[in-house]
Amino acid sequence: MVLSSGGARGLAHVGVIEELESRGYEIAEIAGCSAGALVGGMYACGKLEEFKNWICNLDRIDVFSLMDFTFSSRGFIKGEKVYGELKKVVEDCQIEELAVPFSCNAVNVITGEEVIFREGSLYNAIRASGSIPSVFVPALISKNSLIDGGVLNPVPISLLRNHEDENILLVVDVNGLAHEYIAPPKNDQEGNRFITFPSWLMDYRKKMSQFFPDEKEAEKEPSYSSLNLVKRSFDLLQDRFCELLLQQFPVDIQVKVSRKQAGTLEFHRSSELIEIGRIKTKMALDDWENGNQ
């Protein structure tokens, strides 16, 4: 199983895993990148439910409070606070001791080489893999500055050690194109309505827009700030790169979530994104199972 990068959209990976398990599938190995490394790591250490309960109870203000802003030219978020809080819920562990084989990637910002994590601290690996350029300060590990693995390998199928055996190869790409977009569900699997925000919170959202730009709205604007232009350029390159990577491997099942579903830092939409991942997985599995009967 391969879980792509994608910021908050990566929470759809949780829904993917839950749907697979509900149908009786067993996950033999996980390779993740950035947000995919976070969700994949939580599953591999047996703490996905605890992680889900934690992140689904964060509203917009909670998410904002976990952003330890800095004036560093390398990124405007340190990234230490959010992982510090998560460690209170899920303790750190060693990757080589996980019940499910797990790997993730990052990029050495100086040499440009891909760095693959298959052992050592799980949180060090996740922190490095999710260091989005210009957003999070690069992770410093063994005197090396590491950034988001999505820069070189956003869909890290190459990290899998057993992808050529008889196991089903399922890839989740949450950087899909516009036509993959689906209307956000209003209720979760149990029928509970997703939280709506009062007017005062919507006003607060506008004030925070410099930190949480709405990517769907940004695409409609005729002009971009320099930061958004760099980000938009990176997104376009990554979209194309994802498509090329998927063409290189014999993927059995693809679960595609559109980039338009949520902005990179919209973690307050966790429950909605998890449900989108579940819906998309149902569609992909139904098509695959019907075609293999």
Side-chain angles (χ1 to χ4, degrees):
M1 180 179 193
V2 180
L3 307 178
S4 80
S5 61
R9 291 184 304 279
L11 293 169
H13 296 317
V14 177
V16 174
I17 292 173
E18 290 181 341
E19 180 62 22
L20 286 170
E21 289 196 313
S22 73
R23 294 191 181 215
Y25 288 95
E26 180 180 346
I27 299 174
E29 181 182 2
I30 295 177
C33 176
S34 195
L38 173 60
V39 174
M42 293 297 102
Y43 176 79
C45 71
K47 298 294 183 179
L48 186 64
E49 188 65 25
E50 289 86 343
F51 168 74
K52 175 185 174 182
N53 290 338
W54 174 73
I55 202 161
C56 285
N57 281 290
L58 299 178
D59 60 25
R60 188 185 294 270
I61 296 177
D62 293 326
V63 172
F64 184 73
S65 69
L66 291 174
M67 300 299 177
D68 42 1
F69 296 104
T70 176
F71 292 104
S72 172
S73 60
R74 299 178 300 161
F76 63 84
I77 299 174
K78 293 179 183 178
E80 298 172 3
K81 192 172 182 180
V82 62
Y83 288 109
E85 289 299 312
L86 182 53
K87 284 179 182 178
K88 296 177 182 178
V89 180
V90 178
E91 294 183 358
D92 196 8
C93 55
Q94 299 299 300
I95 295 174
E96 62 270 25
E97 298 175 359
L98 298 177
V100 177
F102 169 79
S103 58
C104 66
N105 61 350
V107 175
N108 186 312
V109 72
I110 302 300
T111 66
E113 296 176 334
E114 183 178 25
V115 178
I116 299 174
F117 293 92
R118 290 196 172 97
E119 59 183 24
S121 163
L122 176 62
Y123 275 104
N124 281 350
I126 291 173
R127 169 67 177 86
S129 187
S131 298
I132 304 172
S134 77
V135 177
F136 287 96
V137 174
L140 186 62
I141 299 179
S142 300
K143 298 182 179 180
N144 294 313
S145 292
L146 305 180
I147 58 175
D148 197 313
V151 171
L152 288 183
N153 194 2
V155 186
I157 304 174
S158 58
L159 272 60
L160 292 176
R161 290 177 166 176
N162 302 309
H163 72 270
E164 295 181 353
D165 62 16
E166 60 184 16
N167 290 333
I168 298 168
L169 176 55
L170 183 146
V171 176
V172 187
D173 177 15
V174 297
N175 299 304
L177 301 179
H179 71 272
E180 300 288 350
Y181 177 83
I182 62 173
K186 296 180 179 180
N187 304 295
D188 62 19
Q189 191 177 28
E190 286 73 37
N192 300 314
R193 191 171 181 83
F194 292 121
I195 297 173
T196 56
F197 298 99
S199 58
W200 67 267
L201 239 181
M202 299 308 293
D203 291 337
Y204 186 75
R205 176 183 180 180
K206 293 178 181 179
K207 295 177 181 178
M208 291 168 56
S209 61
Q210 59 180 315
F211 301 113
F212 295 92
D214 189 321
E215 294 181 358
K216 289 179 287 185
E217 292 180 3
E219 290 181 3
K220 298 177 183 178
E221 296 176 359
S223 62
Y224 294 87
S225 67
S226 57
L227 179 61
N228 282 338
L229 183 59
V230 170
K231 183 180 179 302
R232 175 62 174 158
S233 299
F234 176 73
D235 288 346
L236 291 170
L237 287 170
Q238 192 176 62
D239 290 348
R240 181 57 177 160
F241 196 20
C242 287
E243 292 298 320
L244 293 173
L245 287 171
L246 289 170
Q247 292 173 14
Q248 292 181 12
F249 295 89
V251 178
D252 296 298
I253 305 171
Q254 290 186 37
V255 178
K256 289 272 196 176
V257 175
S258 173
R259 183 184 294 280
K260 291 178 64 178
Q261 292 290 166
T264 302
L265 297 177
E266 291 188 303
F267 289 95
H268 58 282
R269 297 173 60 190
S270 300
S271 297
E272 173 193 323
L273 290 165
I274 290 171
E275 190 60 25
I276 287 173
R278 193 190 323 277
I279 293 170
K280 282 287 191 169
T281 306
K282 286 180 179 179
M283 295 166 60
L285 289 177
D286 286 346
D287 288 344
W288 186 80
E289 290 173 355
N290 291 332
N292 284 274
Q293 287 181 348

